[in-house]
Amino acid sequence: MEIWDTVIVGAGPAGLAAGIYAGRSKLSTLILDQMMPGGQLLITELIENYPGFSEGITGFELSEKLRVHAEKFGAKFENSQPVVDVALDGDIFVVKTDSKEIRGKTVIWAAGSVARKLNVPGEAEFVGRGVSYCAVCDGAFFKDKVVAVVGGGDSALEEALYLTKFAKKVYLIHRRDAFRAVKIIQERVKNCEKIEPLLNRVVESINGTQFVESLTLKNVKTGELEDLPVDGVFIFIGNEPNSAPVRFLVDTDERGFIITDENMATKTKGLFAAGDVRKKPLKQVVTAVSDGAIAAMSATKYLEEREG
Ligand code: NAP
């Protein structure tokens, strides 16, 4: 059975950058993902803060450039079922999906994160029928409709602005009285007539029959309940890390984000973590690719030391 020098799990910006650096180090490199390469870039319309692209670059275009770049240096890609477990067989990692096992001398875990759920009545029931976690995927279904966005971070505010391309009105519901998004985005939101912030409110339930028809909101200051008629609700309240398959091999914080040292090394020799799955202060494409580069160089060094 083939043993790869490195198996990279996750083809987002961290995994793809790791693929470029591992390939240039002449490591035999396999990049696994359930979807086409790009990760969360694929659900991002425009990236405005990736250095060197002053006009912005679409998430799709940047994914393609990173994929081509990794392939150019020899990384192989495999569309896989979800990785359910990573275990050690001696000093070889066994990366397991439901249907196969892949072996690697090192693993770079760059599996990213998934959208956090509100966990309110109606949320699960109306997914795909008015509840969405991806404006780029579903925004166009809401042409001339009224939608709500929940959250106060970069994602919520950026996606609210994006949704104004389609929706006639966007309510921006946030649980506090101040947004945490970067100031330039806050200013754009403030200047956008189609967006109406509803602050100090939380969603109590998402209501409808076949499709979403309204939200029940609670004012956290007064306790008052109100009914807000909407055709859809986009939820951007942060992310949960995809770290469960490696949880026995790594340390994590209380939310499951993987703790590494500055070399992206985890507590298990040969296992590195990179990108949004890692505990770190700034989650951006630029920090994801940086993590990936460091992880691949650390994997290279580890293999050189191990194999002389
Ligand atoms: P985030 O920064 O963690 O913000 C999550 C927001 O959702 C916060 O405003 C939070 O409220 C709110 N929230 C969390 N749990 C909630 C709940 N149960 N009910 C209601 N509201 C809840 O998440 P994000 O916006 O997805 O961003 C994730 C990371 O990616 C961040 O580091 C962000 O900077 C980065 N990002 C960057 C860009 C960019 O640079 N262009 C774009 C997107 C994302 P509180 O404020 O009260 O905590």
Side-chain angles (χ1 to χ4, degrees), residues 48-94:
E48 276 191 337
N49 53 3
Y50 194 71
F53 293 86
S54 57
E55 301 304 314
I57 179 165
T58 66
F60 184 78
E61 212 184 332
L62 185 56
S63 309
E64 249 324 87
K65 284 184 184 294
L66 291 169
R67 179 192 66 77
V68 167
H69 203 162
E71 248 171 17
K72 176 180 168 184
F73 290 117
K76 303 282 181 239
F77 286 83
E78 190 172 311
N79 221 247
S80 75
Q81 290 181 307
V83 171
V84 290
D85 188 38
V86 177
L88 272 167
D89 179 6
D91 57 3
I92 298 296
F93 289 96
V94 184

Side-chain angles (χ1 to χ4, degrees), residues 226-270:
E226 64 190 300
D227 192 59
L228 183 74
V230 293
D231 301 297
V233 54
F234 289 78
I235 298 163
F236 299 106
I237 57 165
N239 296 295
E240 305 289 348
N242 276 325
S243 57
V246 290
R247 65 189 176 283
F248 298 121
L249 302 175
V250 300
D251 287 325
T252 68
D253 69 5
E254 65 291 347
R255 287 166 57 196
F257 289 95
I258 297 173
I259 294 167
T260 69
D261 66 10
E262 63 184 11
N263 299 314
M264 307 301 136
T266 67
K267 73 173 182 190
T268 301
K269 278 198 164 60

Side-chain angles (χ1 to χ4, degrees), residues 120-146:
V120 295
E123 182 179 21
E125 186 186 342
F126 289 112
V127 168
R129 295 188 291 134
V131 171
S132 173
Y133 304 90
C134 176
V136 174
C137 320
D138 299 325
F141 295 121
F142 294 89
K143 194 158 171 15
D144 297 325
K145 307 250 185 213
V146 177

Side-chain angles (χ1 to χ4, degrees), residues 40 44 46-50 113 115-120 150-159 173-182 185 201-203 235-240 255 276 280-285:
Q40 290 197 40
T44 305
L46 191 71
I47 295 144
E48 276 191 337
N49 53 3
Y50 194 71
S113 55
R116 185 178 295 146
K117 308 291 182 288
L118 276 172
N119 291 321
V120 295
V150 185
D154 285 327
S155 300
L157 272 68
E158 283 190 355
E159 303 307 319
I173 298 162
H174 182 37
R175 63 183 176 182
R176 290 189 295 126
D177 58 5
F179 295 117
R180 67 168 62 225
V182 70
I185 303 294
R201 272 70 151 212
V202 291
V203 177
I235 298 163
F236 299 106
I237 57 165
N239 296 295
E240 305 289 348
R255 287 166 57 196
D276 279 5
K280 59 179 183 170
L282 184 65
K283 292 191 172 130
Q284 300 275 308
V285 185

Side-chain angles (χ1 to χ4, degrees), residues 283-298:
K283 292 191 172 130
Q284 300 275 308
V285 185
V286 71
T287 62
V289 297
S290 164
D291 284 4
I294 295 169
M297 296 317 289
S298 300

